[in-house]
Amino acid sequence: MTSTEHTTVQGATAFIPAQASPYQGDIARYWDQEARPVNLRLGDVDGLYHHHYGIGDVDHAALEGTADGACEKKLIAELHRLESAQADFLLDHLGPIGRDDTLVDAGCGRGGSMVMAHQRFGCKVEGVTLSAKQADFANRRARELRIEDSVQARVSNMLDTPFDAGQAAASWNNESTMYVDLHDLFAEHSRVLEVGGRYVTITGCWNPRYGQPSKWVSQINAHFECNIHSRREYLRAMADNRLVPQAVVDLTAATLPYWELRATSSLVTGIEEAFINSYKDGSFQYVLIAADRV
Ligand code: SAH
């Protein structure tokens, strides 16, 4: 793939796909430089590195303990368990996948979901991310696990991937749709998916019932340099691209315990309040959408 070295005003460099927009260059640099303890220390628990949030009830019994260090360790393990439960829930919706199938993870981050998908289905998983550092990290983990022949991450724009038409039995975005135009994104998934294939996303979206993006949603956008779409936009862009929703699951209530637990930890990033308030006032929702490629 042709790529270029871009230098930022701060002097940091990033290896950016040639067809990427200036905005995508910003996002590549953001993820190249990202090293928040909340992401790395949770991944260190079992070697699955996620950049997404958790779902499910907190196991309070698992958090009990007296010594300070032990408490913190238990909390990290519990947050990580909820993040892996989120990825498992996404994989539950991919449908029947065989060992010979290929899956595509669009916006794969450090590759935690890819590893889980391979471990579950025994199949090939191809990931794309804008960040060369993330792709290197994911590929290094795959080598450590000796699954590099099946799990591969590359630096590529998910709106313009190197994959063949109809190559994938299923594809997904795990918290990566807020960086792109949804029509462009779903056109590319629709191209890469085989007819009858399955597309799944888990994402935060603003709730059309609220009216417009709330101040909390705007704060989240500013924090992550992203553009959260509405639930309505997802369904419209899917309908326009031969993706027919099979399930829409509101995970808002299921993700709140994760956020409330995280807000009490030393790993807070400052954005917890915006997530909790917007989930509670109904302006923001955490959803899974699974769609058939027809
Ligand atoms: N899905 C991963 C990472 C989510 S973080 C996980 O669940 O852990 C968001 C990811 O989207 C980052 O890896 C970022 O590089 C990627 N991303 C954002 N815009 C992209 C684009 N246009 N093409 C490819 N990847 C993109």
Side-chain angles (χ1 to χ4, degrees), residues 24 27 31 49-52 105-110 113 128-131 134 156-159 174-176 179-180:
Q24 288 164 348
I27 298 306
W31 288 105
Y49 290 83
H50 300 306
H51 287 288
H52 60 245
D105 183 350
C108 63
R110 286 189 165 97
S113 304
V128 294
T129 168
L130 286 175
S131 159
Q134 286 188 330
S156 168
N157 182 355
M158 63 185 161
L159 304 180
N174 198 350
E175 290 186 17
S176 52
Y179 298 98
V180 289

Side-chain angles (χ1 to χ4, degrees), residues 49 108-112 114-115 127 129 131-145 147-148 151-154:
Y49 290 83
C108 63
R110 286 189 165 97
M114 295 169 77
V115 171
T129 168
S131 159
K133 287 234 172 91
Q134 286 188 330
D136 288 347
F137 190 102
N139 290 330
R140 191 168 58 245
R141 271 307 289 148
R143 281 195 302 276
E144 284 164 6
L145 295 166
I147 56 172
E148 72 271 24
V151 171
Q152 196 200 348
R154 55 184 112 190

Side-chain angles (χ1 to χ4, degrees), residues 15-287:
F15 188 68
I16 297 163
Q19 78 276 27
S21 63
Y23 169 79
Q24 288 164 348
D26 291 343
I27 298 306
R29 277 184 289 275
Y30 175 97
W31 288 105
D32 269 1
Q33 287 162 30
E34 199 282 336
R36 290 195 170 111
V38 72
N39 291 314
L40 292 172
R41 288 185 59 194
L42 269 62
D44 291 341
V45 171
D46 62 2
L48 292 170
Y49 290 83
H50 300 306
H51 287 288
H52 60 245
Y53 307 125
I55 56 169
D57 292 335
V58 171
D59 179 356
H60 289 285
L63 293 173
E64 278 167 22
T66 43
D68 274 2
C71 268
E72 173 88 359
K73 233 178 142 180
K74 286 179 181 177
L75 195 138
I76 285 172
E78 184 60 6
L79 288 171
H80 182 64
R81 186 182 70 78
L82 300 176
E83 291 186 2
S84 288
Q86 187 264 29
D88 262 328
F89 191 71
L90 187 156
L91 299 179
D92 288 345
H93 288 81
L94 293 182
I97 302 294
R99 298 183 68 83
D100 296 333
D101 285 331
T102 296
L103 305 178
V104 169
D105 183 350
C108 63
R110 286 189 165 97
S113 304
M114 295 169 77
V115 171
M116 287 174 67
H118 172 73
Q119 287 173 342
R120 185 190 289 211
F121 303 114
C123 64
K124 220 176 163 95
V125 190
E126 300 271 5
V128 294
T129 168
L130 286 175
S131 159
K133 287 234 172 91
Q134 286 188 330
D136 288 347
F137 190 102
N139 290 330
R140 191 168 58 245
R141 271 307 289 148
R143 281 195 302 276
E144 284 164 6
L145 295 166
R146 298 177 197 276
I147 56 172
E148 72 271 24
D149 291 342
S150 303
V151 171
Q152 196 200 348
R154 55 184 112 190
V155 181
S156 168
N157 182 355
M158 63 185 161
L159 304 180
D160 186 11
T161 65
F163 308 124
D164 293 336
Q167 187 185 332
S171 63
W172 72 84
N173 285 96
N174 198 350
E175 290 186 17
S176 52
T177 47
M178 56 294 287
Y179 298 98
V180 289
D181 178 280
L182 291 182
H183 279 84
D184 296 345
L185 176 69
F186 294 149
E188 181 62 359
H189 278 285
S190 201
R191 185 188 71 78
V192 167
L193 281 169
E194 65 187 32
V195 173
R198 177 54 68 82
Y199 170 76
V200 181
T201 183
I202 294 186
T203 185
C205 61
W206 63 265
N207 188 352
R209 281 188 67 183
Y210 189 85
Q212 283 290 317
S214 66
K215 64 184 172 193
W216 305 117
V217 169
S218 301
Q219 210 170 305
I220 297 167
N221 278 336
H223 184 89
F224 291 105
E225 303 180 42
C226 67
N227 173 31
I228 292 164
H229 307 289
S230 70
R231 191 170 81 237
R232 184 181 183 188
E233 273 181 81
Y234 278 91
L235 299 178
R236 184 155 39 202
M238 283 183 183
D240 287 348
N241 288 286
R242 310 186 70 139
L243 293 171
V244 178
Q246 171 71 14
V248 181
V249 184
D250 185 351
L251 296 170
T252 310
T255 195
L256 257 170
Y258 166 90
W259 282 99
E260 284 168 341
L261 180 64
R262 183 172 145 157
T264 67
S265 81
S266 67
L267 304 171
V268 286
T269 57
I271 199 61
E272 287 75 10
E273 190 196 14
F275 275 87
I276 292 169
N277 289 341
S278 59
Y279 283 143
K280 285 191 169 165
D281 73 10
S283 62
F284 191 44
Q285 292 178 296
Y286 198 50
V287 295

